[in-house]
Amino acid sequence: MTRLLQATATQRSSGGHSREYLARHAATKPVLILPTTSLVYFQDKVDTVRASTSATPLYDVPFKPTKSSSDSWTAVTIDEVNKLISASPNKTCQLDPVPTWLVKEMRELLAPLITLLFNRSLVTGCFPSEFKHAIVRTLLKKSGLDASDLKNYRPVSNLSFLSKLLERVVQKRLQAILESKELMPSQQSAYRQHHSTETAVLKIYIYNDLLMAADSGLVSALCLLDLTAAFDNVDHDLLLLRLERQFGLRGVIFSGSGLTGSADLIVFGLPAPPQ
């Protein structure tokens, strides 16, 4: 309790700044909860993209032999949770019952409870429904755009601290499975450690592809695709089927509980308060 009071005392000044910030903006920039116009716009955008491909035949995912199948996650440890909390940025969501800085300050006391919760989630294959809630802020894509035109906005979801922490736990384990079984495409640069757009460009230009083609007197064409609302249009059923048939994921590891039942609260017109 002493540590909790001491930690609270050190943050009083920043708490005062947050209250002043909210009070200042409350008088000039009203908050609209669940604005119908923005909800309809973003939903229609996704529906339009999906409708454009609705006539495409369903992809029959073929089975691909893997070295072994995986039907359970490795257990989460207290030390792992401690390290994840320590490495987390001091960002707080409005859905969090306490600020992130306080969780980090009290991590030695909270880590065992969080570890128990995460292990229970992994064993049962159940992603807590509260973790699927998000605060969605509609932000201008860049300064200077017409703020009255919804096409100039992009929705940004802010999940609770524990939700993001559990996602990191699962991502770390899924990445380990894919890499240990050599299931990651060798040419993929996205979402891989020590890879980036730079490594992708180097592969295309420096490491043989374009240069060797030029040396052979061939003409090369580079095709770049920018997909509208790419992540919003991922077919979850197809994704889970591919994970099962081509990556060997089975049992609770394959439940897909985190992909359904999300709920969003849209906050429109008020910037995020300082952390």
Side-chain angles (χ1 to χ4, degrees):
M1 180 60 72
T2 301
R3 290 176 59 194
L4 178 60
L5 293 175
Q6 289 174 343
T8 304
T10 60
Q11 296 292 330
R12 285 179 178 174
S13 59
S14 63
H17 292 311
S18 297
R19 286 191 294 273
E20 292 174 5
Y21 173 89
L22 292 173
R24 183 169 66 253
H25 283 276
T28 57
K29 297 183 178 181
V31 178
L32 302 178
I33 306 299
L34 295 176
T36 304
T37 50
S38 58
L39 279 173
V40 171
Y41 173 80
F42 291 120
Q43 185 60 54
D44 285 349
K45 180 179 179 180
V46 173
D47 290 343
T48 299
V49 175
R50 289 180 174 175
S52 66
T53 61
S54 60
T56 304
L58 293 177
Y59 178 59
D60 184 15
V61 182
F63 282 92
K64 179 181 178 181
T66 57
K67 292 182 178 180
S68 62
S69 62
S70 301
D71 56 11
S72 63
W73 301 107
T74 56
V76 185
T77 65
I78 295 176
D79 182 62
E80 179 185 2
V81 171
N82 252 318
K83 290 179 179 178
L84 286 173
I85 294 176
S86 299
S88 300
N90 286 325
K91 295 181 180 179
T92 299
C93 175
Q94 290 171 257
L95 299 173
D96 291 328
V98 295
T100 300
W101 64 262
L102 185 56
V103 176
K104 296 178 72 172
E105 182 69 23
M106 308 304 297
R107 61 183 179 276
E108 296 294 339
L109 295 176
L110 296 175
L113 299 176
I114 296 175
T115 302
L116 182 64
L117 172 64
F118 285 2
N119 276 323
R120 186 62 179 169
S121 176
L122 298 185
V123 168
T124 60
C126 177
F127 195 85
S129 57
E130 290 80 2
F131 288 8
K132 302 176 188 179
H133 298 174
I135 297 292
V136 180
R137 294 185 178 276
T138 48
L139 306 179
L140 278 174
K141 295 178 180 178
K142 60 181 179 179
S143 60
L145 295 177
D146 183 3
S148 64
D149 192 341
L150 280 173
K151 73 178 183 181
N152 294 328
Y153 286 86
R154 58 186 176 90
V156 178
S157 297
N158 189 5
L159 296 164
S160 67
F161 178 73
L162 287 183
S163 177
K164 290 185 287 188
L165 210 62
L166 180 54
E167 283 187 355
R168 292 191 192 105
V169 166
V170 173
Q171 187 275 333
K172 178 180 177 182
R173 282 155 174 73
L174 181 57
Q175 191 79 24
I177 291 173
L178 297 180
E179 291 180 354
S180 66
K181 298 180 180 179
E182 300 178 350
L183 294 172
M184 295 290 287
S186 60
Q187 305 301 325
Q188 178 176 323
S189 287
Y191 314 111
R192 301 182 70 179
Q193 192 174 20
H194 309 307
H195 288 71
S196 64
T197 52
E198 182 178 354
T199 58
V201 171
L202 290 175
K203 169 63 178 69
I204 293 173
Y205 182 69
I206 295 180
Y207 300 123
N208 300 331
D209 292 0
L210 292 181
L211 292 181
M212 289 191 67
D215 289 341
S216 301
L218 301 176
V219 176
S220 299
L222 180 62
C223 181
L224 303 176
L225 299 178
D226 183 14
L227 303 179
T228 299
F231 286 98
D232 291 324
N233 284 288
V234 171
D235 187 312
H236 291 165
D237 291 333
L238 181 59
L239 172 62
L240 291 173
L241 193 58
R242 290 200 63 180
L243 289 174
E244 178 187 16
R245 292 186 176 184
Q246 299 190 337
F247 294 87
L249 303 187
R250 308 280 193 274
V252 295
I253 204 173
F254 172 68
S255 67
S257 172
L259 298 177
T260 59
S262 62
D264 299 331
L265 172 67
I266 293 185
V267 180
F268 191 84
L270 181 66
Q275 303 296 333

